[in-house]
Amino acid sequence: MTMTDRESGALLLRQLREGRGWSWADLARALRDTARQLAIATLMDRQVASIQRAVARWESVSSQTIPSDRYQFLLVHLYARTLAGDLAIGRGSDFATLLDALRLFGTSPQRVQHLIALVAQGDEGVLSIPSQLDHEEIGRLHDSVTAINGQIGAVPFVRLQLQLAPVVEACRRLLTQDEGHPREELALLAAAAYSLAGRLAFETRDDAAAEALYTEATEVAKHLADRSHRAAIQTSHTMVTLHATDDLDAARMIARAATVDAHRGSSYAIRARAHAVYAEICARAGQATEAAVALERAWKTAEQLTIDDPHGGFNADRLNGFDGLCALHAGDADRAHDRLDRAVSTLQSSRDAVQRGIISTDLALVRLRLGDPAACADLLHEAIDITAATGGRVAARRIRLARRELRPWRTEEFLAELDDHIHDTLIGR
């Protein structure tokens, strides 16, 4: 992006705003209102003055600031409609001019096409859903949630969060209409949407929103006959609580509840995951015996997994990661290496990328425990590249912790190279 392009993009944004007769404050209020309509939690309650400062920076020819993903999402929805509320996204429209501005700011062609698709596919249509939906419409929304979940590891978390927000808002409106007794299919949709939204809020460092969403998901899941659904939510909630707060007692309480629900549910995959998550919490708390018992239960349950499990996804490959981490905390480096190395070698799909980044960092620490700091650094290079691509918050945190343990080798060239990689890829990007 040249300075000339940047100036041209800023000028187009200014022309768009003035063409609608808006001041900076007017545009800021319009963006906040759009955030509220689309349930973008991080922006819907932001002060107008704060948004106005961002608008001013976008239009400044001396600034290098451009609209973030969240603001781009709001801008396309705002400018896709005329002042009268009519959809207008063709040639010569404000929407088309906005896309030209974003291109001048350096937005990739793929991102531009994604923004067009968000509007063209009618994301806002979700917000005008009537008080009741038929089976087909609820199925369509559930498919949307599944599709968004399937993009984890390949699409930035913030973009997935923006795609999901209208579905979450639609679920809230529909549940209000059901007066506390939602239909099974609506409860399934809402539980899935809230839980995924909680995960995405965590990954984008909005821990308060994550906690609230997991609480909502757990509450709505109580209406489902199969307790596997609530157990699945609680296992995810456990890990988010652990990594957001470091509160082992709180995480243990949720994990314990997950194991109880899992044994009342139909899914062996969820039951195995619940025991594995509980094992990790115990291992981190120094309760090696209890962790070993939970792991044994997880492995015995995993032996009963079938390919037709509707809650499939957790399997021996993922369980190896938990087993290895527990062994690491117990001081059994040889077992930890064996289990973690198996997990890294088998979790190769794009959907597994976030988990592979985490496990690669755990394996790096094992290499250090086995007396090979250079091999630890080599593995951390791989973990850094994976984490940069996925944006995984847990892996990024573990990379920092692993780097801290390498301090005794601060004069070694391999550590200087690692620091450069961390700065250039995770910090300086």
Side-chain angles (χ1 to χ4, degrees):
M1 178 179 69
T2 67
M3 191 59 178
T4 300
D5 288 340
R6 173 65 182 73
E7 291 174 352
S8 299
L11 179 60
L12 284 180
L13 285 187
R14 178 180 175 181
Q15 290 173 345
L16 278 172
R17 175 179 58 79
E18 292 179 342
R20 296 199 171 196
W22 288 342
S23 65
W24 282 340
D26 292 332
L27 177 55
R29 278 189 287 271
L31 289 169
R32 188 181 64 178
D33 290 345
T34 304
R36 288 172 175 171
Q37 292 169 4
L38 298 174
I40 309 302
T42 52
L43 295 175
M44 60 194 295
D45 295 321
R46 183 161 294 182
Q47 295 294 319
V48 169
S50 174
I51 302 176
Q52 181 176 327
R53 286 192 292 272
V55 171
R57 287 193 293 270
W58 305 335
E59 294 185 12
S60 171
V61 295
S62 61
S63 172
Q64 290 298 307
T65 303
I66 65 173
S68 66
D69 280 355
R70 287 187 178 89
Y71 279 120
Q72 287 181 17
F73 182 79
L74 296 179
L75 285 165
V76 295
H77 280 282
L78 180 63
Y79 283 119
R81 294 191 177 276
T82 66
L83 289 173
D86 299 320
L87 186 67
I89 60 176
R91 183 177 300 178
S93 65
D94 285 352
F95 179 79
T97 301
L98 172 64
L99 295 183
D100 287 340
L102 294 179
R103 292 186 185 98
L104 290 166
F105 279 139
T107 303
S108 71
Q110 295 82 1
R111 173 61 174 159
V112 170
Q113 288 303 312
H114 180 70
L115 291 169
I116 294 171
L118 286 177
V119 173
Q121 291 169 5
D123 280 38
E124 287 184 287
V126 174
L127 302 177
S128 58
I129 289 173
S131 60
Q132 293 293 327
L133 290 180
D134 62 27
H135 175 76
E136 183 177 346
E137 290 169 321
I138 289 181
R140 177 178 59 82
L141 290 179
H142 211 141
D143 289 345
S144 296
V145 174
T146 301
I148 293 168
N149 187 46
Q151 295 177 73
I152 289 178
V155 175
F157 289 113
V158 66
R159 296 183 187 174
L160 300 179
Q161 188 180 40
L162 294 172
Q163 291 179 49
L164 184 62
V167 182
V168 171
E169 179 63 14
C171 288
R172 286 176 176 151
R173 295 185 182 189
L174 291 167
L175 286 172
T176 298
Q177 297 292 334
D178 276 15
E179 299 179 349
H181 300 284
R183 289 167 288 161
E184 176 90 359
E185 58 186 355
L186 176 56
L188 278 171
L189 168 63
Y194 293 166
S195 181
L196 178 56
R199 161 77 187 282
L200 297 177
F202 165 75
E203 294 288 4
T204 55
R205 292 169 172 75
D206 191 347
D207 294 335
E211 177 64 29
L213 284 159
Y214 275 112
T215 299
E216 285 186 272
T218 304
E219 178 65 19
V220 75
K222 76 180 183 182
H223 298 286
L224 299 171
D226 188 350
R227 286 288 185 248
S228 294
H229 297 287
R230 191 162 72 174
I233 293 165
Q234 290 166 326
T235 57
S236 183
H237 190 187
T238 297
M239 303 311 290
V240 165
T241 297
L242 172 67
H243 295 297
T245 68
D246 289 322
D247 189 336
L248 281 171
D249 289 337
R252 181 189 177 93
M253 185 179 301
I254 302 169
R256 183 60 183 165
T259 62
V260 172
D261 271 339
H263 275 274
R264 294 174 179 169
S266 64
S267 172
Y268 286 107
I270 296 302
R271 197 174 301 176
R273 175 171 168 77
H275 284 305
V277 167
Y278 187 71
E280 177 175 340
I281 299 301
C282 292
R284 288 179 177 276
Q287 299 164 332
T289 300
E290 195 166 353
V293 170
L295 271 178
E296 183 179 2
R297 289 173 178 167
W299 279 111
K300 286 182 177 179
T301 305
E303 292 173 359
Q304 303 176 68
L305 293 178
T306 60
I307 59 174
D308 60 348
D309 190 326
H311 300 271
F314 189 84
N315 53 29
D317 298 336
R318 289 182 175 271
L319 184 50
N320 272 317
F322 283 94
D323 196 331
L325 181 61
C326 289
L328 176 60
H329 282 285
D332 188 346
D334 289 329
R335 180 181 177 86
H337 188 278
D338 175 66
R339 297 297 185 178
L340 293 171
D341 190 52
R342 287 189 198 180
V344 168
S345 64
T346 54
L347 296 173
Q348 293 297 319
S349 72
S350 59
R351 184 65 177 82
D352 296 326
V354 174
Q355 192 67 23
R356 192 166 67 253
I358 295 170
I359 295 173
S360 294
T361 307
D362 293 337
L363 184 58
L365 274 177
V366 173
R367 296 279 174 86
L368 183 59
R369 298 285 189 273
L370 291 172
D372 195 341
C376 171
D378 286 343
L379 268 173
L380 286 177
H381 280 291
E382 296 179 24
I384 290 166
D385 287 335
I386 295 171
T387 304
T390 63
R393 179 179 173 184
V394 175
R397 184 187 187 203
R398 292 195 189 180
I399 288 169
R400 291 194 296 271
L401 293 175
R403 168 60 184 86
R404 190 179 303 166
E405 295 208 23
L406 284 168
R407 284 175 179 171
W409 293 272
R410 62 174 59 89
T411 61
E412 298 290 338
E413 183 177 354
F414 67 78
L415 195 55
E417 293 174 352
L418 181 66
D419 285 340
D420 287 343
H421 194 185
I422 290 173
H423 183 273
D424 293 344
T425 307
L426 295 181
I427 300 175
R429 63 180 182 143

